[in-house]
């Protein structure tokens, strides 16, 4: 029993270390890309935020192909979009675009309602995305001839794995705070798991930002 306890403890510690290592690697990778794009760490006052949303297409070169940059100051809110080009695995350059539609503080308030500052990482949703199979239920039935038979109902949880697609990495900078989280293929998963609130929030954030860069003509 004692040996089993220590094996379980070792597994949990190992899993947490691997996750922490992956998070650290992810942060360094995107910090390197931000440096190449000459994006400095934001200097913010109390109540100010900068949110960076990196978009990565799995079948293209590079760590990200697009960046939304949301800057909320005391009385203003701006959104820019950068298209990032690569020479295979080497960063080439990024072109930044201002929104071609009005962006107001009301949009920021909508994003806050979707918990853009505090959403958890997608790994926290693992049990909801990939639920463990439930036990089959059984019951006894007395047949007309007096024999007893056992009936069973098999339960199958619905879950799906999406491979190639796109991912979104969120970085939330505050005056004295930092938070990041990542979602893989949220648009695909939300179709299969619309009951997961966090997925719905991520998709709503992306949908709310998209019109700012659509043509007005």
């Amino acid at each position: 029993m004692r040996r089993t306890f220590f094996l379980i403890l070792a597994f949990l510690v190992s899993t947490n270390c691997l996750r922490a290592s992956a998070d650290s690697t992810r942060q360094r990778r995107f910090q390197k890309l931000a440096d190449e794009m000459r994006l400095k760490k934001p200097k913010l006052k109390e109540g100010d935020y900068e949110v960076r949303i990196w978009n990565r297409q799995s079948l293209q070169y590079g760590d990200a192909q697009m960046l939304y940059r949301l800057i909320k100051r005391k009385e203003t809110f701006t959104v820019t979009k950068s298209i990032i080009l690569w020479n295979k695995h080497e960063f080439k350059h990024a072109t930044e675009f201002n929104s071609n539609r009005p962006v107001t503080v009301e949009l920021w308030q909508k994003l806050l309602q979707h918990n853009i500052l505090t959403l958890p990482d997608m790994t926290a949703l693992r049990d909801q995305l990939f639920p463990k199979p439930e036990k089959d239920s059984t019951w006894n039935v007395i047949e007309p001839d007096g024999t007893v038979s056992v009936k069973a109902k098999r339960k199958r949880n619905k879950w799906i794995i999406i491979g190639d697609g796109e991912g979104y990495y969120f970085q939330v900078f505050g005056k004295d705070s930092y938070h990041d989280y990542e979602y893989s293929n949220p648009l695909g998963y939300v179709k299969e798991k619309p009951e997961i609130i966090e997925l719905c929030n991520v998709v709503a954030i992306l949908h709310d930002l998209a019109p700012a860069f659509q043509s007005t003509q």
Side-chain angles (χ1 to χ4, degrees):
M1 178 66 72
R2 186 175 181 181
R3 183 173 180 272
T4 302
F5 170 77
F6 281 111
L7 286 174
I8 294 173
L9 180 61
F11 173 78
L12 292 174
V13 171
S14 175
T15 301
N16 289 334
C17 288
L18 289 173
R19 185 178 302 169
S21 176
D23 291 345
S24 178
T25 300
R26 180 178 66 185
Q27 289 180 23
R28 288 198 301 271
R29 194 169 72 244
F30 281 95
Q31 182 57 54
K32 181 177 183 294
L33 179 53
D35 292 341
E36 291 174 325
M37 293 173 61
R38 298 182 180 180
L39 295 178
K40 298 181 179 180
K41 183 179 179 180
K43 295 181 179 179
L44 303 167
K45 297 180 180 180
E46 191 68 38
D48 292 347
Y49 292 96
E50 178 170 329
V51 181
R52 298 174 185 176
I53 307 175
W54 304 88
N55 170 245
R56 183 180 187 278
Q57 303 292 327
S58 63
L59 298 181
Q60 297 188 34
Y61 288 112
D63 290 317
Q65 287 72 47
M66 188 272 290
L67 167 67
Y68 282 129
R69 193 174 174 210
L70 291 56
I71 302 176
K72 174 64 176 71
R73 302 294 183 182
K74 185 175 181 180
E75 297 179 355
T76 62
F77 177 53
T78 59
V79 181
T80 61
K81 178 179 180 179
S82 294
I83 301 300
I84 307 168
L85 299 181
W86 298 79
N87 182 10
K88 290 192 175 180
H89 297 290
E90 296 294 326
F91 169 79
K92 190 174 181 181
H93 65 81
T95 304
E96 184 178 82
F97 300 91
N98 293 319
S99 57
N100 53 17
R101 290 190 176 189
V103 172
T104 65
V105 176
E106 283 70 24
L107 174 57
W108 175 251
Q109 294 300 325
K110 288 182 65 178
L111 299 177
L112 290 181
Q113 292 174 10
H114 301 315
N115 299 323
I116 190 172
L117 301 180
T118 58
L119 280 170
D121 194 81
M122 191 173 181
T123 55
L125 312 179
R126 185 174 300 156
D127 290 342
Q128 298 180 68
L129 288 168
F130 314 114
K132 296 179 181 179
E134 298 181 24
K135 293 182 179 180
D136 296 339
S137 58
T138 60
W139 64 94
N140 297 328
V141 175
I142 301 177
E143 303 294 348
D145 62 358
T147 61
V148 178
S149 60
V150 178
K151 303 291 185 180
K153 181 179 181 181
R154 296 184 178 275
K155 297 181 179 180
R156 294 292 181 266
N157 289 315
K158 180 181 180 182
W159 58 281
I160 183 172
I161 295 178
I162 302 176
D164 293 336
E166 59 182 348
Y168 293 88
Y169 176 52
F170 292 71
Q171 292 181 295
V172 181
F173 299 88
K175 179 180 181 295
D176 298 310
S177 63
Y178 175 79
H179 175 57
D180 66 351
Y181 52 93
E182 188 169 21
Y183 279 77
S184 172
N185 299 298
L187 300 176
Y189 278 114
V190 80
K191 293 179 181 178
E192 302 296 330
K193 295 287 186 175
E195 71 277 9
I196 301 180
I197 301 302
E198 293 83 357
L199 277 176
C200 293
N201 280 331
V202 170
V203 171
I205 289 168
L206 300 175
H207 283 172
D208 287 345
L209 289 173
F213 298 93
Q214 293 177 353
S215 173
T216 57
Q217 298 180 353

